[in-house]
Amino acid sequence: MSDDELDLVERLAEARGESRSDAIRQALRRGAREELIRVALQRYQDGTVGMRGAAALAGLTIAEMMAEANDRGVLSNYDEADLADDVDALR
């Protein structure tokens, strides 16, 4: 890690009152989760996967993925066929 990255981790750990190791683990989990959601939504927008596929990639339920997409203004690709597929999958 660079000196800047180490400084960032040290400040995070200090601010949270935890060890550097705990701060790194927490930041990695959050960052990886966020990146998976971002990649899943990009693939959804590209039409590579449907909402169900995006949810599976991100490790979320379809409802959680839809909420993420909605929060980020990405639901424009969701059509009646996607809805029918998702309803069938939930049965």
Side-chain angles (χ1 to χ4, degrees):
M1 293 180 80
S2 71
D3 288 342
D4 288 341
E5 292 166 335
L6 287 171
D7 180 58
L8 184 63
V9 168
E10 190 63 43
R11 288 186 294 134
L12 177 61
E14 191 174 306
R16 297 186 66 172
E18 60 189 15
S19 71
R20 280 190 294 179
S21 295
D22 288 340
I24 290 169
R25 276 192 286 281
Q26 184 77 356
L28 181 60
R29 267 192 301 274
R30 285 185 179 163
R33 180 180 186 276
E34 176 61 28
E35 187 63 11
L36 276 172
I37 291 169
R38 191 193 66 72
V39 168
L41 288 174
Q42 185 60 54
R43 289 187 183 172
Y44 173 73
Q45 283 185 301
D46 294 344
T48 308
V49 297
M51 186 57 66
R52 189 176 336 127
L57 177 61
L60 301 175
T61 66
I62 293 171
E64 290 168 333
M65 194 74 230
M66 288 178 73
E68 288 289 343
N70 187 51
D71 290 347
R72 299 165 194 235
V74 177
L75 275 180
S76 60
N77 290 351
Y78 199 75
D79 61 17
E80 289 181 27
D82 290 326
L83 177 61
D85 288 345
D86 290 340
V87 168
D88 288 341
L90 292 172
R91 290 182 184 169

